Amino acid sequence: MNYVERIKEFYAAHPVMDFYTDRAVEREVVGLLNYDESAIQPYKVSSPLEKEDGTKVASVAEWEQSRRSKIIELFKKELYGEVPPMPDQVEYKEISCKKDALNGKAVRKEIDMVFTMKNGKTHTVPVLIYLPAGATGKVPVFLNLNFKGNHTITNEKDVRMSGLLNDDKSFLSAEQRSCHAERNSIEMVIARGYACCTASYNDFFPDHIDGWCDSIYALFGDYENYSRGHEKYSSIGAWAWGMSRLMDYVEQSEELDSSRVALHGHSRLGKSVLWAGALDERFKIVISNNSGLAGAAMTKRCFGELYIYLVTAMPHWFVKNTARYIANEEAQVFDQHFLLSLIAPRKLVVASAENDLWSDPYGEYLGTYHAGEVYSLYGADVLKTPLRQAVGTVITSDISYHIRPGKHAQNGIDWLHYLDIADKYL
Ligand code: GCU
């Protein structure tokens, strides 16, 4: 029996699993996953250009006018859900402005983004912005959602704590300040002339199975006792929506240039940026760092993390439909290169880390490679070969890719490439 068959058998015997109450079953699932390239079973790579009738899209016009939207519908239904509605009103309230931030190198702003509904419901998201000091004219922006709060991505200790809706309050301690500073590398970004605009993903959807009632979805419906997966919506959908709401802020700002925005995200947020970048064409560069399964990696390779883990561990990240692909990946009519293709012809950047096998680095490369079919329709430069890339490879083009040594992270090495890409294309 190969490992795929073993997983099918295990799932048939455990159709209902709960990692929250049964850690032993979680360990068993992790033990079933495969990290051996030679054990991978043959799988079919479908073409995003192939229509339901079997013929292929032949022009950009046909792609944009019909096929592209069909693929978006597919991802809504099978993975990430519907796009949440817009609140009745959005206000931006300036909370602070520090003119001599980062030792005089930056201007720092803290904003409250306040969503209000006619029925009186409100939801507030704290936003943090750094602008290069002395900038003349509107500046290009690196935009993202962060994990543990705005206070964790800066070395400045007087930034207010955010991400308060998270159930894990350990993020809100003095020791957690600046723990994720390298993920945003603000000093590097500012030194190269870019602004940074960020908010915590927990302030759009607190990342746990019962996060619904404190999420933006509560503006639009009753989620008081809601838990886990939903028919129509997902937390990834809420995070992608949040990225677009930050973009709305950039659009009305007099200091930030909304025509030059690079969206970036790591891991689960690397998955979310791909969905946000697919839906919102205002993002000119979409950077997906170590995004793995349901991100840039090819699902049907079944290498590293699989749905049997992801959808059981994080049911709120996806719509309920996704569960039907657990131990049944081959039933998908799409794979993740379809998602990456939706970003064409805008710049796509995918980054892997050598030791991040959970995320399947080679699968991330192949997803990026296969997206080239749609990019080629636009005459864009694409990845030239499906062969595995040597660690240290850095490709800067319409489709960029790198694989650096080391573990699952977004660090200064990744930033060197992202800033070069931005210098070239923004
Ligand atoms: C978990 C999850 C991954 C995800 C990662 C992260 O490991 O299984 O799919 O990418 O968390 O977001 O850090």
Side-chain angles (χ1 to χ4, degrees):
M1 213 193 276
N2 65 47
Y3 76 94
V4 173
E5 289 160 351
R6 274 199 302 279
I7 289 169
K8 283 187 192 296
E9 194 182 76
F10 182 87
Y11 188 54
H14 301 81
V16 183
M17 285 182 279
D18 187 348
F19 294 169
Y20 293 88
T21 53
D22 190 349
R23 305 304 283 196
V25 79
E26 176 177 5
R27 282 192 296 275
E28 267 190 87
V29 170
V30 171
L32 290 167
L33 303 179
N34 172 55
Y35 298 96
D36 175 1
E37 191 69 33
S38 69
I40 290 180
Q41 300 300 302
Y43 64 97
K44 181 171 184 285
V45 179
S46 323
S47 165
L49 296 179
E50 191 177 314
K51 295 179 278 185
E52 282 129 3
D53 65 4
T55 62
K56 270 199 170 182
V57 166
S59 67
V60 166
E62 197 184 354
W63 166 256
E64 290 184 351
Q65 283 155 25
S66 66
R67 182 72 185 140
R68 189 177 181 279
S69 52
K70 290 209 171 69
I71 296 178
I72 289 182
E73 289 313 307
L74 208 52
F75 279 103
K76 283 183 181 168
K77 192 165 152 268
E78 307 301 332
L79 289 182
Y80 312 118
E82 294 294 325
V83 177
M86 281 298 285
D88 293 329
Q89 199 193 351
V90 184
E91 281 169 286
Y92 309 108
K93 296 185 182 157
E94 189 166 304
I95 303 296
S96 77
C97 177
K98 192 174 179 200
K99 296 241 156 34
D100 58 349
L102 300 181
N103 296 321
K105 296 201 176 74
V107 174
R108 188 185 82 201
K109 287 190 176 185
E110 291 173 294
I111 304 284
D112 266 350
M113 180 156 62
V114 185
F115 305 130
T116 310
M117 300 300 286
K118 291 196 183 106
N119 61 16
K121 286 187 183 176
T122 67
H123 185 104
T124 300
V125 176
V127 182
L128 174 65
I129 298 128
Y130 279 94
L131 296 146
T136 51
K138 289 189 169 191
V139 280
V141 187
F142 276 93
L143 186 154
N144 78 313
L145 294 189
N146 62 69
F147 283 71
K148 295 186 170 189
N150 296 341
H151 57 294
T152 65
I153 58 95
T154 169
N155 290 312
E156 295 194 306
K157 306 291 183 203
D158 57 338
V159 165
R160 64 186 172 146
M161 291 190 177
S162 74
L164 306 190
L165 298 177
N166 191 18
D167 62 335
D168 180 356
K169 304 294 180 208
S170 69
F171 298 174
L172 306 174
S173 66
E175 297 77 58
Q176 292 286 310
R177 285 190 175 279
S178 75
C179 67
H180 279 167
E182 199 177 0
R183 287 201 179 163
N184 271 64
S185 292
I186 292 172
E187 286 83 355
M188 280 172 82
V189 169
I190 290 289
R192 297 274 286 259
Y194 298 92
C196 157
C197 177
T198 187
S200 168
Y201 80 141
N202 281 310
D203 286 324
F204 289 97
F205 191 117
D207 190 5
H208 57 97
I209 49 174
D210 301 322
W212 295 90
C213 59
D214 291 320
S215 76
I216 53 106
Y217 291 118
L219 288 169
F220 313 109
D222 178 14
Y223 290 89
E224 215 33 65
N225 296 307
Y226 208 84
S227 189
R228 295 164 201 267
H230 192 276
E231 305 283 347
K232 204 171 149 193
Y233 294 122
S234 74
S235 69
I236 288 187
W239 299 327
W241 184 91
M243 293 167 189
S244 288
R245 299 295 72 77
L246 288 188
M247 181 53 141
D248 298 343
Y249 171 77
V250 170
E251 266 194 329
Q252 57 76 59
S253 153
E254 282 166 12
E255 295 144 324
L256 304 170
D257 186 349
S258 63
S259 71
R260 292 186 291 158
V261 177
L263 173 67
H264 66 99
H266 169 62
S267 208
R268 67 201 68 181
L269 294 170
K271 309 182 204 299
S272 309
V273 296
L274 292 171
W275 184 226
L279 294 171
D280 190 335
E281 297 181 53
R282 293 174 296 176
F283 295 114
K284 291 290 147 53
I285 302 181
V286 178
I287 302 169
S288 184
N289 192 85
N290 301 182
S291 57
L293 179 61
M298 295 293 279
T299 303
K300 291 185 191 175
R301 266 170 54 80
C302 293
F303 183 101
E305 182 176 27
L306 298 185
Y307 284 146
I308 192 170
Y309 184 89
L310 179 60
V311 178
T312 312
M314 272 74 73
H316 55 295
W317 288 11
F318 303 97
V319 287
K320 280 187 175 167
N321 245 346
T322 312
R324 68 196 179 95
Y325 298 113
I326 296 176
N328 187 29
E329 285 77 4
E330 65 279 10
Q332 280 191 174
V333 297
F334 59 93
D335 210 324
Q336 291 306 106
H337 60 304
F338 281 48
L339 177 65
L340 273 52
S341 301
L342 296 172
I343 293 161
R346 291 163 293 135
K347 307 301 173 203
L348 168 67
V349 185
V350 171
S352 303
E354 179 185 13
N355 301 332
D356 182 20
L357 295 183
W358 182 256
S359 306
D360 186 13
Y362 185 34
E364 292 172 335
Y365 177 78
L366 286 173
T368 318
Y369 168 77
H370 289 302
E373 201 185 350
V374 171
Y375 273 80
S376 294
L377 262 191
Y378 289 89
D381 280 330
V382 301
L383 300 179
K384 304 274 181 288
T385 165
L387 296 179
R388 181 191 290 275
Q389 300 296 295
V391 176
T393 299
V394 179
I395 300 166
T396 308
S397 189
D398 294 324
I399 297 181
S400 298
Y401 177 82
H402 73 247
I403 175 160
R404 60 157 172 77
K407 58 176 191 181
H408 188 69
Q410 180 168 316
N411 65 25
I413 302 177
D414 300 305
W415 273 106
L416 282 176
H417 192 204
Y418 300 154
L419 287 162
D420 284 348
I421 294 165
D423 284 358
K424 188 163 173 192
Y425 295 117
L426 275 188

